Amino acid sequence: MKKYNFNAGPSILPREVIEQTAAACLDFDNSGLSLMEISHRAKNFQPVVDEAVALFKELLNIPEGYSVLFLGGGASLEFCMVPYNFLEKKAAYLNTGVWATKAEKEAKAFGEVVEVASSADKNFTYIPKNYEIPADADYLHITTNNTIYGTEIREDIDCPIPLIADMSSDIFSRPVDVSKYTMIYGGAQKNLAMAGLTFVIVKDEALGKVTRHIPTMLDYRTHVKKGSMFNTPPVVPIYSALMNLRYMKAHGGVEAMAKLAQERADILYAEIDRNKLFVGTAEKDSRSLMNITFVLKDEYKELEKDFLDFATSKGMVGVKGHRDVGGFRASCYNAMSIEGVQALVACMQEFEKMH
Ligand SMILES: *Cc1c(COP(=O)(O)O)cnc(C)c1O
């Protein structure tokens, strides 16, 4: 049976990206060696990093003066690297979910933290609006897509102070005006590559402004200077990212990805809103195009396990909601086909008929 991978992360990748990475793991660049056993300083690996950086800049239209880094440690390490490198006295955080809360918590060890707004009062079902950004803060940190709660900030907000964004789960799903950000980062395992890689886009001139000592590995300048080769980078994940960057370019770039994301989300949200059994958890104007969260209406709550079993029997994978929200979550990253979303909708309709 065909499986449809709705996992939140690590998550679906285009089949050809997986096949090309697997092939390179057996024989990299006709060298007779595996990608797993070559040096990151091998002559034929540097072009992989160079092309990945170039495609990153091309696809996201990154202006001059920004560096693209490939690091380890996950988005979670960035939660502390961001204040290490940018927080001198005070930082502002927008709290829109578990990941945003974790980022904010790390910053508190480095200075004063102002929470400009929070949607914790309604279990993060919406994106706060009309909050005040302190003009004297070193930066504002936002999480553009809240993977767990299914809410998303899908435009590049105007911010009077340096803006730093965790885009782990919506990078490459839309065009981004990178010039509005001082830094963008994320774990690659949602919409870019296999697990094990962190991407960072950082404005060079914003670095080196804090007075504290920064450990070498945690100082972005180290990685800018060494082109992500200060120490051994995650070689295989970088290769898988390159394959996906090539794939996205060949398939129309981020404009095409955004169109597909909208199409998928329109289909699934329309069914959630129509179907008598289900209700969406995020407020409509805050809905994510990437992670679509829904639950059974109160009067049908006891059917939760039945629907999961039913959906699983039809080939749906990973639609169980996060424990903080319950119900269901269909993660619809770039590689999810319209057909996959239609298959899930068919499941929901068939299940509705049974009840
Ligand atoms: C998954 C996720 C993270 C955590 O990423 P790791 O790479 O596992 O540290 C952080 N932020 C967001 C928005 C995420 O979706």
Side-chain angles (χ1 to χ4, degrees), residues 73-77 79 99 143 145-147 166 168-169 186-190:
S76 299
L77 185 58
F79 295 165
W99 297 117
T143 310
N145 186 66
N146 300 284
T147 321
D166 175 355
S168 291
S169 51
Q189 70 276 15
K190 310 287 169 45

Side-chain angles (χ1 to χ4, degrees), residues 21 91 275 279 300 304 324:
T21 306
N275 194 303
V279 60
Y300 297 106
E304 191 159 310
D324 290 344

Side-chain angles (χ1 to χ4, degrees), residues 229-271:
M229 292 283 197
F230 172 72
N231 69 327
T232 316
V235 170
V236 180
I238 290 174
Y239 189 86
S240 73
L242 173 60
M243 294 304 109
N244 199 21
L245 289 159
R246 281 186 188 165
Y247 174 93
M248 288 188 276
K249 180 175 173 177
H251 288 80
V254 285
E255 286 82 7
M257 298 301 133
K259 197 164 156 276
L260 269 172
Q262 190 68 57
E263 246 176 274
R264 282 188 303 259
D266 286 348
I267 293 170
L268 191 45
Y269 281 123
E271 177 59 20

